[in-house]
Amino acid sequence: MSRAAVPDLPSRHPIGGQLPALYADDDFAQRFTAGLDTVLAPVFATLDNLPAYLDPRVTPTDFLAWLASWVGADDDPQWAVELRREAVVRAVELHRWRGTRRGLVEALHLALGVHAEVTDDGGAWWSNTAGADLPPEPPGEPLVRVWPDREAQVDVHRVREIVRAMCPVHTVCRVEVLPGPPSDEGR
């Protein structure tokens, strides 16, 4: 990432105009400070535009990967730039929902453009009575069903990677890739 290679970038704060009157008419001083202006202009331009660098919607593309690393967002260079920007924008929200049905469904939709459904999550158990019996074992592993939306094909390997990353560490999830939306039969 290089912001210094901007040809003929003028300085918004030329040093020569800020010198004392003694140097205002000095040709050498004006040429010397003009050289410094050329060096400092990209620095001033970057600082003047700092809010734009920190906004993933408008940040330069070469800065996007670095910005993604700040918020722990997935940044796949093979994704379209708009999808990469959206992943950075929604990173904090997805971290908040990590390990939940909603988080898994939204992460799959964002990254792969697929619809997903999570069933049999095991639930949660608690008791107000000290020494109560342990809850029964959950009936099975959570099932993640995925079907295409914007793509004709679903990358099963990528689905499994996202499910593995978003599910709680103690949970093993089964993954099914369907050709279309699941029917309500057999439910």
Side-chain angles (χ1 to χ4, degrees):
M1 169 174 35
S2 174
R3 302 284 171 246
V6 181
D8 301 323
L9 181 67
S11 175
R12 291 189 56 203
H13 310 286
I15 299 171
Q18 300 175 22
L19 292 175
L22 174 67
Y23 299 108
D25 293 330
D26 185 349
D27 183 52
F28 174 74
Q30 291 302 316
R31 284 185 292 125
F32 181 75
T33 57
L36 293 175
D37 288 340
T38 303
V39 172
L40 292 176
V43 174
F44 289 141
T46 300
L47 292 175
D48 288 345
N49 294 302
L50 190 59
Y53 280 89
L54 301 177
D55 184 348
R57 293 174 198 92
V58 295
T59 193
T61 307
D62 60 343
F63 196 78
L64 193 57
W66 196 25
L67 197 56
S69 72
W70 290 0
V71 293
D74 288 332
D75 184 51
D76 188 340
Q78 295 176 350
W79 291 353
V81 173
E82 291 308 313
L83 180 58
R84 292 174 61 203
R85 292 182 188 282
E86 185 66 19
V88 175
V89 167
R90 297 197 51 212
V92 173
E93 175 189 356
L94 288 176
H95 288 313
R96 182 179 335 131
W97 293 107
R98 188 178 203 109
T100 66
R101 287 181 188 198
R102 177 179 174 177
L104 181 55
V105 168
E106 290 190 23
L108 286 166
H109 185 70
L110 176 66
L112 303 175
V114 297
H115 290 288
E117 172 184 88
V118 181
T119 57
D120 300 328
D121 67 352
W125 294 79
W126 67 91
S127 173
N128 290 332
T129 308
D133 291 338
L134 292 174
E137 287 292 320
E141 307 164 326
L143 173 63
V144 180
R145 287 191 177 119
V146 177
W147 61 95
D149 178 24
R150 62 179 183 234
E151 299 290 329
Q153 295 287 337
V154 176
D155 182 356
V156 180
H157 178 69
R158 189 78 176 107
V159 170
R160 290 182 198 279
E161 283 179 4
I162 293 170
V163 168
R164 197 173 306 121
M166 293 297 290
C167 281
V169 122
H170 65 280
T171 306
V172 176
C173 295
R174 291 180 295 141
V175 175
E176 283 183 10
V177 177
L178 307 173
S183 64
D184 289 335
E185 296 175 19
R187 286 192 189 179

